[in-house]
Amino acid sequence: MTECKLASLNGAERTVVQVAGVSIGVGFTVIAGPCGVESEDQLLETAIAVKAAGADMLRGGAFKPRTSPYAFQGLGLKGLKLLEKARSVTGLPVVTEVIDTRDVTWVCEYADVLQVGARNMQNFSLLKEVGRAAKPVLLKRGMHSTIQEWLNCAEYILNEGNPDVILCERGIRTFETYTRNTLDLSSIPAIKELSHLPVIADPTHGTGRVSLIPPMSMAAVACGAHGIIVEVHRNPAEALSDKEQALTPAQFSTMMKKVRELQGFMEGVEKTS
Ligand code: PEP
Ligand code: MN
């Protein structure tokens, strides 16, 4: 495979992506919020709760890539406007997915970070389009992709002139069925060996099970991830997408205390090593 000229570490300085006052690539950045934006109440309540628990950024999809065409597809423009409102209420920058090249320009007016989802990781037209955008891109690992294929997708974005790419390990398909995906946390230190780009973990889609999200979030801290992205819903049973893998605000808050404590411990370990 052709070498990634721009994404490779090769002695390059490590990239720290700046998003409206939040840095990704130093410390441990926590992005939290619902899978999808469903209503003003649902989003604001969740956004206020994740902010209070110590999240750094808000997530929420206005365009949902769903397995079935009959499933909730997201609120589109209305969802983006609600995200804008949640940002102004909480001060949290917003990460939201873009699924269509035709939407990139105008979604940039609402998003602080453009998410390219696992299903679109190798949508090369979309990668080129977000590569020409003036917003950072959170690039999820495709569920059938090798680390090298994933880095090549980052290369597509960088090659269009956008230097701000955040990689996100969100689990890959294996023969295991107990979990939704297999969260490949070994990819986190592997990416840090291969690339200067920041890399975070998504223990929500990576496991698909609420009970496994806190331990895998702790593991993400321990293996050197630059952050996590997790789904939180004010009432998971009512969620219109991914209800089986959303934490309640209370579960998220409990987890955050442990994550921040472990983060502090790991920073101490790094200093002494
Ligand atoms: C999401 O973040 O809600 C999502 C659809 O993630 P993925 O692309 O990793 O499945
Ligand atoms: Mn989801």
Side-chain angles (χ1 to χ4, degrees):
M1 194 173 300
T2 322
E3 203 220 335
C4 291
K5 290 189 200 125
L6 303 169
S8 293
L9 181 56
N10 270 348
E13 211 175 291
R14 293 207 178 266
T15 295
V16 176
V17 175
Q18 305 289 349
V19 184
V22 175
S23 303
I24 305 174
V26 285
F28 194 79
T29 307
V30 177
I31 307 167
C35 180
V37 179
E38 298 169 0
S39 69
E40 178 162 345
D41 281 2
Q42 172 252 10
L43 183 66
L44 288 183
E45 216 179 285
T46 310
I48 290 166
V50 301
K51 162 93 181 180
D56 303 293
M57 296 180 72
L58 177 67
R59 64 149 289 148
F63 298 97
K64 296 306 303 174
R66 304 305 300 282
T67 304
S68 163
Y70 308 118
F72 176 60
Q73 304 284 308
L75 298 181
L77 175 60
K78 187 172 168 219
L80 293 171
K81 289 189 169 161
L82 293 176
L83 285 165
E84 190 173 48
K85 181 155 191 192
R87 186 213 287 122
S88 75
V89 169
T90 61
L92 296 175
V94 161
V95 182
T96 197
E97 182 162 356
V98 62
I99 60 177
D100 192 313
T101 50
R102 293 167 296 186
D103 297 333
V104 171
T105 310
W106 67 271
V107 170
C108 280
E109 292 171 29
Y110 299 91
D112 295 295
V113 175
L114 299 169
Q115 176 174 321
V116 173
R119 289 157 192 78
N120 273 315
M121 187 200 80
Q122 282 188 318
N123 179 339
F124 299 114
S125 314
L126 185 61
L127 296 176
K128 286 184 190 171
E129 199 67 32
V130 297
R132 293 191 278 264
K135 289 286 157 91
V137 178
L138 189 151
L139 178 65
K140 296 251 193 142
R141 179 180 183 178
M143 59 191 90
H144 312 287
S145 308
T146 65
I147 290 170
Q148 200 54 53
E149 285 162 346
W150 184 20
L151 282 176
N152 268 279
C153 293
E155 189 77 10
Y156 264 90
I157 301 171
L158 299 171
N159 192 40
E160 293 298 320
N162 189 340
D164 291 328
V165 178
I166 304 150
L167 297 166
C168 176
E169 165 62 50
R170 52 78 72 203
I172 50 176
R173 281 236 168 129
T174 66
F175 51 76
E176 185 53 69
T177 54
Y178 185 70
T179 46
R180 179 176 176 184
N181 290 288
T182 296
L183 184 66
D184 177 16
L185 282 180
S186 68
S187 76
I188 302 273
I191 288 288
K192 289 170 77 179
E193 276 175 15
L194 294 168
S195 176
H196 55 86
L197 295 172
V199 59
I200 68 170
D202 175 346
T204 301
H205 295 87
T207 65
R209 281 180 179 261
V210 163
S211 61
L212 303 184
I213 296 168
M216 288 297 98
S217 297
M218 301 291 271
V221 180
C223 74
H226 296 112
I228 45 172
I229 180 165
V230 283
E231 289 185 352
V232 180
H233 194 285
R234 63 169 174 176
N235 184 357
E238 280 179 6
L240 298 181
S241 57
D242 285 351
K243 65 162 101 178
E244 52 299 298
Q245 59 181 40
L247 298 175
T248 62
Q251 288 169 325
F252 177 67
S253 174
T254 304
M255 179 182 101
M256 280 299 282
K257 291 189 186 95
K258 295 184 184 175
V259 161
R260 292 300 188 205
E261 194 173 333
L262 185 60
Q263 180 191 346
F265 178 79
M266 287 303 296
E267 281 165 6
V269 170
E270 293 302 328
K271 261 188 221 128
T272 53
S273 65

